[in-house]
Amino acid sequence: MSSSAQLKRLKPAYQCVVNNFLAVLAVPVAVAGIVSAARVGPDELLGRLQALRPVHVFLAAFLPAAAANLYMMMRPRPVYLVDYACFRTKPSCRVPFGTFLEHAKLVTFIEGASIDERSVRFMTRLLERSGLGEETCLPPAHHFIPPFRNMEASREEVELVIFSAIDDLLAKTGISPDAIDLLVVNCSLFAPVPSFTDMIVRRYKMRSDVRNVHLSGMGCSAGLISVGLARNFLQVAPKGSHALVVSTETITPNYYVGKERAMLLPNCLFRMGGAAALLSTSPAKARFRLSRVVRTLTGAQDNAYRCVYQEEDEEGHRGINLNKDLMTIAGDALKANITAIGPLVLPASEQLLFALSFIARRVLGSKGIKPYLPDFRMAFEHFCIHAGGRAVIDELQSSLGLSDEHVEASRMALHRFGNTSSSSLWYELAYIEAKGRMRKGDRVWMIGFGSGFKCNSAAWECIEPARDAQGPWAESICRYPVDIPEVLKH
């Protein structure tokens, strides 16, 4: 038997011992204490207790109680996810590959547009390898020739997506809009005046003192930034307060009509979608507990700052330029985020192996020893990886050593809904629940990437799984998972 196979067989025993170190240590200490007390005898033991001064007895009882009370007062207040809802795309907005490509060909004849046949052939090859399916949706304004990209059409998309998601969430939770104390909305590429938060406050007649924030320009990871912001507010707000978090991306004003290949990618990958989540410090009716939020920003490096960049091409057409080094930069950001979140979520056995590997590489040199990649499957049962594209999911599956089942939710969300930006993580969580895989006590790791360049993480613990498959997957979950070929011919 090889040494690697022997190590794999010994690893479960090692994990059991290290992860339960306190229990392993406490058992012999307790046995030794019981044996010593038995040797002394009850009379001598009682005499020693009577010899103690009252002040010693008081301190022995008071100090532990005071320390425990101080810890309870100073620890951060737990934050819970009451429930969430995703926008359910409309069949009338569906864009099969054939429709998308025919539309792109017609756009080439529009005055001012510079998309040419070469650009259409490039988008065709990209779609065939993208991992998207035939049921992804674009907003109604993009179904016209030429596509509408004006303010009115953009506002109509916003209202359709976010109001639908919020309506579903309020119906599921039974909460009144008056009970919401904080409203956080994130949308990167469309920031009208009045803002999204003003639109929501007006629609649902919220209180005049509701705290509200609209985050823009933060990229696809902004959903977890919004969750972190809501958590920070709730931990200092009166107990039982509620925060509404809305994540979306407005597609209407961002259709690129130029021919720069790096700027044509978003046309092929991004689709309409949105989600609303209700957070609270009250555990009543809560379905998940928020364990951690860890944010990593690598924007101090020029290449990371410019790898996802909104700009105009040489002909003046505005779009998002996705740099060819995006995957390398995303990998570096992921490593930084793993370094930050690892000590907070990994069991002691994985942390010890990582520390020993780090020390060995420093002492003996990094050439002969490979860095140890912690096994995050020991910390989480489910993974929601931002469905930014097939390459993103492939890279994270390889980097984290995940199985096909671990990344199934991400691949299926990309296939069914496309890249819905910051809301994609909620579609993936809904997939896991619709499949009936979530169990009480299960831990979920959400990983988001965004411009800047950012890698953000959130860790959740399930309190109450969904009772049914209602939600964005209600009409299609029976058909999933599906096989996604490397190259889709149509």
Side-chain angles (χ1 to χ4, degrees):
M1 184 180 295
S2 64
S3 58
S4 60
Q6 291 178 341
L7 289 175
K8 286 183 179 180
R9 293 185 62 182
L10 291 174
K11 191 171 182 180
Y14 158 79
Q15 292 171 342
C16 181
V17 172
V18 176
N19 293 339
N20 300 282
F21 178 74
L22 291 179
V24 172
L25 185 64
V27 170
V29 171
V31 171
I34 293 172
V35 171
S36 299
R39 289 178 178 176
V40 170
D43 294 336
E44 186 177 347
L45 187 62
L46 183 61
R48 292 182 180 181
L49 291 175
Q50 291 175 345
L52 292 174
R53 295 181 180 181
V55 66
H56 295 156
V57 177
F58 172 77
L59 290 175
F62 173 76
L63 289 180
N69 187 54
L70 184 64
Y71 169 76
M72 295 296 293
M73 291 174 61
M74 295 186 66
R75 73 171 183 169
R77 187 179 297 167
V79 174
Y80 302 92
L81 173 65
V82 180
D83 216 328
Y84 64 97
C86 299
F87 169 68
R88 305 188 190 193
T89 53
K90 311 296 182 183
S92 59
C93 296
R94 190 171 67 91
V95 184
F97 287 0
T99 302
F100 180 89
L101 295 172
E102 182 181 11
H103 186 279
K105 291 177 182 178
L106 292 174
V107 170
T108 62
F109 298 103
I110 298 173
E111 183 179 355
S114 61
I115 292 182
D116 53 18
E117 287 293 332
R118 186 166 175 265
S119 300
V120 173
R121 289 195 299 271
F122 169 73
M123 288 192 288
T124 301
R125 293 194 301 271
L126 182 62
L127 281 171
E128 290 173 347
R129 295 162 174 79
S130 65
L132 273 68
E134 298 279 5
E135 295 183 90
T136 61
C137 294
L138 285 172
H142 280 203
H143 292 257
F144 290 88
I145 301 292
F148 295 156
R149 295 184 291 167
N150 54 35
M151 288 290 293
E152 181 181 0
S154 301
R155 287 181 183 275
E156 288 177 355
E157 180 193 347
V158 172
E159 293 175 357
L160 171 65
V161 173
I162 65 176
F163 291 166
S164 298
I166 294 174
D167 287 345
D168 284 350
L169 179 63
L170 296 180
K172 289 172 71 174
T173 60
I175 191 173
S176 168
D178 288 338
I180 295 173
D181 304 284
L182 172 69
L183 172 62
V184 184
V185 183
N186 65 269
C187 180
S188 292
L189 298 174
F190 184 54
V193 178
S195 68
F196 282 28
T197 56
D198 299 324
M199 296 164 65
I200 295 172
V201 169
R202 177 176 178 269
R203 165 70 179 244
Y204 295 97
K205 309 301 179 186
M206 293 183 176
R207 304 195 319 257
S208 60
D209 64 342
V210 62
R211 303 290 189 269
N212 60 93
V213 180
H214 178 175
L215 299 177
S216 64
M218 304 295 281
C220 298
S221 67
L224 298 184
I225 297 175
S226 298
V227 168
L229 183 63
R231 177 204 60 181
N232 294 344
F233 170 83
L234 289 172
Q235 288 179 338
V236 297
K239 190 173 182 179
S241 298
H242 293 87
L244 175 61
V245 174
V246 181
S247 298
T248 188
E249 188 57 77
T250 307
I251 307 298
T252 297
N254 297 298
Y255 188 85
Y256 175 66
V257 294
K259 55 186 178 183
E260 288 291 332
R261 292 192 172 189
M263 301 173 74
L264 285 169
L265 291 172
N267 283 4
C268 299
L269 297 176
F270 283 88
R271 297 293 185 265
M272 69 185 302
L278 184 66
L279 304 180
S280 177
T281 47
S282 171
K285 299 182 180 180
R287 297 194 46 235
F288 290 85
R289 181 179 67 85
L290 179 60
S291 303
R292 305 285 180 183
V293 176
V294 175
R295 295 172 55 185
T296 304
L297 175 62
T298 61
Q301 305 166 22
D302 289 341
N303 60 341
Y305 173 75
R306 295 190 63 90
C307 73
V308 180
Y309 202 79
Q310 186 177 29
E311 61 184 2
E312 294 179 343
D313 63 17
E314 295 179 353
E315 299 178 351
H317 301 299
R318 187 175 61 187
I320 304 297
N321 190 317
L322 302 181
N323 192 285
K324 62 181 180 180
D325 297 325
L326 176 59
M327 294 313 304
T328 302
I329 294 167
D332 293 339
L334 175 64
K335 291 176 184 176
N337 193 265
I338 285 176
T339 302
I341 197 174
L344 303 176
V345 299
L346 286 170
S349 59
E350 291 299 307
Q351 294 192 47
L352 179 59
L353 288 175
F354 180 79
L356 293 175
S357 171
F358 178 80
I359 294 172
R361 283 169 57 82
R362 283 298 181 93
V363 174
L364 303 177
S366 59
K367 292 184 179 180
I369 302 176
K370 292 183 179 180
Y372 178 74
L373 178 65
D375 186 358
F376 280 90
R377 294 172 298 179
M378 298 289 296
F380 301 102
E381 284 76 30
H382 307 285
F383 296 82
C384 296
I385 299 168
H386 169 53
R390 168 177 258 159
V392 175
I393 301 172
D394 289 345
E395 178 68 22
L396 264 72
Q397 180 179 8
S398 175
S399 299
L400 298 175
L402 303 179
S403 66
D404 289 340
E405 184 175 347
H406 284 130
V407 298
E408 181 182 307
S410 301
R411 294 195 190 280
M412 298 307 110
L414 179 66
H415 183 272
R416 173 61 182 83
F417 298 101
N419 181 350
T420 58
S421 190
S422 56
S423 64
S424 66
L425 300 173
W426 299 105
Y427 285 95
E428 294 165 27
L429 182 61
Y431 177 88
I432 296 170
E433 294 207 277
K435 277 295 182 182
R437 297 173 182 171
M438 191 67 68
R439 299 289 183 269
K440 183 176 181 179
D442 280 2
R443 298 155 297 178
V444 184
W445 187 13
M446 289 184 173
I447 310 172
F449 296 93
S451 58
F453 191 82
K454 309 176 190 70
C455 177
N456 301 324
S457 291
W460 304 87
E461 181 181 348
C462 180
I463 298 174
E464 183 66 35
R467 298 178 181 176
D468 52 48
Q470 294 303 312
W473 295 92
E475 298 176 359
S476 57
I477 193 62
C478 59
R479 304 196 305 269
Y480 283 87
V482 297
D483 179 60
I484 305 175
E486 291 294 325
V487 179
L488 177 64
K489 296 298 182 182
H490 53 86

